[in-house]
Amino acid sequence: MVIIMLGAPGTGKGTIAKILSENLNIPQVSTGDIFRKHIKEGTELGKIAESYISKGQLVADDVTIGLVNSRLDEKDVQNGIILDGFPRTVKQAEALDEMLAKRNKKVDMVINLTTPEEEIIERIVNRRICSNPDCKTVYNIILNPPKKEGICDVCGHELIQRKDDNVETVKKRLQNYFMQTSPLVEYYEKQGTLKTEEVSKSINRLGGDVAKDILENLKR
Ligand code: ADP
Ligand code: ZN
């Protein structure tokens, strides 16, 4: 099964993908996480990615598509994949359809997350992430703080704040989302795979609630 997480930054794509991944036993593949790993390790790809990410821009399509294309050949994703943060442009979506068709696969479900913009900004600047790459649990220092400041409840590793999680970069990332990524809503609507879910504290519905409903629907 191929599941895509769609939505602006800070809508809960990663949180929901993680829960689905653990319950469905399908790997979560986040292009953002892969780029951050390369940046940390100082690889060539990392250097290229950093030049875009630090400015709040999307990494070039050919770079991102190439990365996903090789990831799709790995053994662990043959029974399914949860794509978190890819595709983000129409060009990437078209490339993904082709890459999957070549492997006799298709996009099965697109989960489109929506959240009011003020809430997104508040959520991102207060976001802290577990630094353990096998954990990556996401906290919010106001809404969902860890029991001990700066430490992950689940695994005890240190929590970190992403460099691009500041107000200025978030505003750019939101602009990019509306210009480059939001056309994908129509793209997948036409394919009949889109499922839109609102994630907002104003309706008392956060990532965990949405994930639970999706899992229940899949069981039926
Ligand atoms: P968020 O959804 O909070 O912006 P991600 O971890 O998904 O966070 O992405 C972080 C950054 O990595 C993005 O701002 C962008 O620069 C880059 N990136 C991630 N996925 C893609 C993609 N599919 N295409 C282009 N750039 C990407
Ligand atoms: Zn942790």
Side-chain angles (χ1 to χ4, degrees):
M1 174 146 63
V2 177
I3 301 177
I4 291 173
M5 304 301 309
L6 191 64
T11 49
K13 298 188 295 289
T15 304
I16 296 171
K18 187 172 197 281
I19 301 173
L20 296 181
S21 166
E22 286 163 359
N23 283 276
L24 300 171
N25 250 315
I26 307 177
Q28 167 189 6
V29 173
S30 154
T31 39
D33 282 348
I34 298 174
F35 289 138
R36 278 186 290 278
K37 186 163 177 269
H38 278 272
I39 292 172
K40 208 172 149 199
E41 290 170 357
T43 68
E44 265 325 292
L45 174 62
K47 282 178 202 148
I48 296 171
E50 190 167 27
S51 67
Y52 294 97
I53 295 178
S54 61
K55 288 183 244 156
Q57 291 171 1
L58 290 185
V59 177
D61 280 334
D62 53 346
V63 174
T64 313
I65 291 166
L67 180 82
V68 173
N69 190 38
S70 40
R71 186 68 184 85
L72 288 175
D73 281 331
E74 284 173 42
K75 214 171 164 186
D76 64 326
V77 300
Q78 298 316 309
N79 285 326
I81 185 167
I82 301 172
L83 283 166
D84 163 12
F86 182 91
R88 258 174 148 105
T89 63
V90 172
K91 197 168 167 214
Q92 291 179 15
E94 287 167 352
L96 178 65
D97 282 340
E98 276 175 36
M99 295 188 284
L100 291 173
K102 271 191 201 141
R103 295 164 173 91
N104 288 316
K105 293 187 171 98
K106 61 172 176 47
V107 172
D108 295 291
M109 193 199 289
V110 180
I111 302 165
N112 174 39
L113 305 174
T114 63
T115 299
E117 197 169 319
E118 327 79 72
E119 223 179 297
I120 287 182
I121 295 175
E122 191 192 352
R123 222 186 259 175
I124 291 189
V125 297
N126 293 321
R127 173 157 79 177
R128 299 292 182 278
I129 301 164
C130 175
S131 58
N132 171 4
D134 295 324
C135 178
K136 292 189 245 172
T137 300
V138 180
Y139 296 85
N140 178 301
I141 51 174
I142 315 251
L143 295 176
N144 168 35
K147 292 199 185 80
K148 198 171 156 202
E149 198 186 318
I151 301 294
C152 177
D153 292 346
V154 182
C155 74
H157 280 71
E158 199 191 342
L159 302 184
I160 48 170
Q161 180 171 28
R162 272 170 47 182
K163 266 197 203 144
D164 59 346
D165 278 355
N166 58 73
V167 179
E168 199 195 343
T169 315
V170 169
K171 287 194 173 151
K172 281 197 203 119
R173 281 154 62 200
L174 279 171
Q175 262 177 2
N176 292 340
Y177 169 79
F178 288 111
M179 291 179 55
Q180 295 172 276
T181 309
S182 67
L184 294 185
V185 171
E186 203 187 319
Y187 183 92
Y188 288 117
E189 220 159 37
K190 280 188 189 147
Q191 286 194 0
T193 45
L194 196 80
K195 193 173 158 53
T196 297
E197 297 278 0
E198 182 164 1
V199 184
S200 169
K201 63 179 181 195
S202 69
I203 54 165
N204 201 12
R205 189 165 162 79
L206 294 179
D209 306 304
V210 172
K212 199 171 146 230
D213 286 354
I214 293 169
L215 286 168
E216 266 164 26
N217 267 315
L218 282 173
K219 271 187 219 145
R220 266 184 223 147

